[in-house]
Amino acid sequence: MEKGTTLLLGLPGVAVSRVERRDDGTRVVHLVTAGEYAGLCPRCGVVSTSHKEAVVTGPRDIPYGTDGLKLVWHKHRWRCRNIDCPLQTFTESIPQVPPRRRTTGRLRSAVAHAVACNRSVAEVAAENGVGWSTVQACVDEHTDQVLTEPAPTPVLGIDETRRGKPQWRLDPLTHRWVRVDRWDTGFVDLHGEQGLLGQAEGRTSATVTGWLALRSQTFREAIRYVVIDPAASYRAAITPDLLPNAQLVVDHFHLVRLANDTVTTVRRRVTWELRNRRGRKVDPEWANRRRLLTGRERLRPKAFAAMWNELLTHDPTGQILAAWIAKEELRTLLASARQQAAPHVIRARLHDFYAWCAGTDIPEVHKLAGTIDAWWPQTLLFLHTGLTNARTEGINRVVKSVGRRACGFRNPHNHRRRVRLVCTRRHRRASAIDRHAPC
Ligand SMILES: [Zn+2]
């Protein structure tokens, strides 16, 4: 019977001597140290025969059953008789419960993995019947093991994420409310399985150069492509001095977003000019606002015809459709990456886009063409390589979710560590292995 309960508990190094149920319903498991650890000095490994006293401890373990188990470990304090050993006396310990620990290794591992799977520390602490600080200490320990210096990667993605909610502060000089957002810049491995490599506070050139400067020469030399949003500050940060072998690629989703923003800006301006008010449900351009932002190939023929005809009739300036066509010309150009188009096809599509933009007299469309022109080398490299920041955007969702789960962080350093822990693929692989490993 005793052998069976020991097997059921599955905690190596201790044996179950008996199990009792107390009046309040708690199930108490009484443990004794198993033979191989009885009297074993944890420092020098010599087995002592000089018994000092009996000690009872109650280590916390992972919950078992609906109401959990209470462990009572009857162990002994011994005198270490090895003259070379600095320990005078010691109590028995096992690998799962090292000296001065009051939790089992499997509990520490379970709570750390639960938090690393993006659950809040408070929630995991309550579920396992331990304190918040105990769980946080387990998470810190696990994070130190898992988060190591990032390994070199040939493709680095850089993107910004807002930390927390937008904040408004009263400017003492102008007495106006100004929006102050806190930004982090994320660095992502777009080639391997490392996920988020790190985050740095801010979104300026100095943020990027500061983070990269902390990496090894090997890491920096290994980078061949850096995928960024069309942000001048990020472009300025990537210099041959810092990353000698890197070429910049602009993320095409951000270019499409610029084109969509252009269409929306033109639509709003035209509504103001035509009706002297903002758009309403009855306005055809407002009713079609989502169709205007949907890719041409994703619009059903009926929806496309409705949008086209209504705007043709109700926008005498024709500016909204002109902006829409500019957006679609840009999308056609960017689709060359997916289609692996030949260089002459890319040149022809670029010409079509520029020619269309130049043929209109819409300032917003001219600005869009100017942006593409300013970013053409990086866009062309996207068309050749097909590299995108899509993975970075996926990680950004996790970053926001971590902040929400924790109900906000007071300490940005802890926030960034937790985000990286949750985003790191190595952690997820380790968790999967742990789940399948026997105790
Ligand atoms: Zn010793």
Side-chain angles (χ1 to χ4, degrees):
M1 187 266 179
E2 282 165 16
K3 230 176 168 182
T5 45
T6 301
L7 189 66
L8 198 59
L9 185 71
L11 194 61
V14 287
V16 176
S17 60
R18 66 193 168 88
V19 182
E20 63 168 338
R21 184 183 279 278
R22 287 187 181 162
D23 294 342
D24 61 356
T26 320
R27 289 172 298 163
V28 183
V29 182
H30 293 270
L31 306 171
V32 292
T33 313
E36 67 266 36
Y37 293 105
L40 185 75
C41 173
R43 181 67 69 90
C44 64
V46 169
V47 176
S48 172
T49 49
S50 176
H51 184 253
K52 189 162 185 277
E53 60 186 337
V55 183
V56 176
T57 62
R60 299 276 183 165
D61 194 22
I62 46 176
Y64 182 85
T66 48
D67 48 358
L69 297 175
K70 184 172 165 48
L71 302 188
V72 177
W73 183 7
H74 302 269
K75 57 182 184 177
H76 299 278
R77 183 179 294 280
W78 301 82
R79 298 180 192 90
C80 185
R81 290 302 192 202
N82 180 0
I83 49 167
D84 296 330
C85 181
L87 291 188
Q88 305 267 310
T89 64
F90 63 91
T91 54
E92 289 158 345
S93 61
I94 57 173
Q96 279 280 325
V97 190
R100 284 180 293 282
R101 286 282 195 189
R102 290 161 63 191
T103 46
T104 61
R106 60 189 190 182
L107 174 67
R108 290 194 297 276
S109 169
V111 297
H113 280 128
V115 174
C117 290
N118 200 10
R119 294 179 61 202
S120 80
V121 170
E123 179 190 355
V124 173
E127 188 182 286
N128 289 279
V130 288
W132 187 96
S133 51
T134 305
V135 175
Q136 183 60 37
C138 297
V139 173
D140 285 341
E141 193 186 350
H142 178 67
T143 311
D144 288 340
Q145 285 167 10
V146 173
L147 296 191
T148 47
E149 180 62 24
T153 172
V155 190
L156 180 72
I158 303 181
D159 201 6
E160 62 187 17
T161 343
R162 198 180 62 209
R163 191 175 70 249
K165 290 179 184 171
Q167 294 188 344
W168 295 84
R169 288 199 194 124
L170 192 62
D171 188 329
L173 294 175
T174 60
H175 295 284
R176 293 179 70 116
W177 286 96
V178 280
R179 185 170 164 162
V180 202
D181 285 343
R182 295 164 300 168
W183 293 91
D184 279 334
T185 297
F187 301 86
V188 177
D189 174 13
L190 293 181
H191 179 79
E193 295 291 304
Q194 297 185 82
L196 186 69
L197 301 173
Q199 281 183 302
E201 194 164 3
R203 52 169 179 172
T204 60
S205 297
T207 309
V208 176
T209 49
W211 188 85
L212 286 170
L214 290 174
R215 307 280 79 81
S216 67
Q217 185 74 20
T218 322
F219 181 89
R220 282 182 275 134
E221 282 176 357
I223 298 173
R224 293 187 55 219
Y225 299 106
V226 181
V227 187
I228 58 169
D229 320 345
S233 57
Y234 286 165
R235 179 163 64 178
I238 310 302
T239 57
D241 292 344
L242 196 63
L243 302 179
N245 305 316
Q247 288 181 287
L248 273 175
V249 180
V250 68
D251 181 50
H252 82 294
F253 287 109
H254 285 85
L255 295 178
V256 173
R257 192 152 78 192
L258 283 181
N260 278 337
D261 291 349
T262 303
V263 174
T264 303
T265 317
V266 172
R267 172 176 64 76
R268 287 182 180 154
R269 181 174 53 74
V270 167
T271 302
W272 270 104
E273 285 170 4
L274 286 179
R275 311 175 202 280
N276 212 18
R277 57 163 174 77
R278 57 183 289 184
R280 288 180 192 163
K281 218 188 308 186
V282 291
D283 305 337
E285 70 274 13
W286 196 89
N288 282 295
R289 69 199 185 286
R290 289 191 203 285
R291 286 178 187 156
L292 284 166
L293 303 184
T294 309
R296 168 72 182 90
E297 71 284 353
R298 279 194 284 274
L299 279 177
R300 282 175 292 116
K302 210 174 154 187
F304 172 70
M307 177 196 86
W308 185 265
N309 295 336
E310 281 176 25
L311 286 175
L312 216 52
T313 317
H314 293 97
D315 172 20
T317 68
Q319 291 189 37
I320 299 177
L321 280 184
W324 180 83
I325 293 170
K327 185 247 311 182
E328 287 301 318
E329 289 287 357
L330 179 63
R331 290 187 64 244
T332 309
L333 171 66
L334 296 174
S336 309
R338 203 169 53 239
Q339 298 154 355
Q340 296 178 336
H344 72 273
V345 176
I346 295 177
R347 276 197 299 276
R349 288 174 177 179
L350 179 66
H351 176 265
D352 289 348
F353 168 69
Y354 280 155
W356 179 263
C357 294
T360 69
D361 49 4
I362 309 170
E364 292 90 346
V365 170
H366 291 175
K367 191 179 161 202
L368 176 68
T371 307
I372 298 298
D373 188 39
W375 288 88
W376 180 243
Q378 295 82 7
T379 310
L380 187 62
L381 198 54
F382 156 70
L383 298 180
H384 289 320
T385 59
L387 291 169
T388 79
N389 248 348
R391 197 180 277 186
T392 308
E393 299 295 329
I395 283 179
N396 281 346
R397 274 195 291 280
V398 181
V399 169
K400 296 206 163 125
S401 156
V402 170
R404 278 198 294 270
R405 277 298 163 94
C407 296
F409 283 82
R410 284 166 192 247
N411 182 333
H413 176 70
N414 276 349
H415 187 186
R416 285 194 283 274
R417 258 165 74 90
R418 178 82 67 79
V419 163
R420 199 174 154 218
L421 178 66
V422 175
C423 293
T424 302
R425 280 146 205 262
R426 208 180 125 200
H427 141 69
R428 287 190 217 147
R429 264 210 310 274
S431 311
I433 292 166
D434 282 3
R435 273 198 294 276
H436 295 116
C439 288

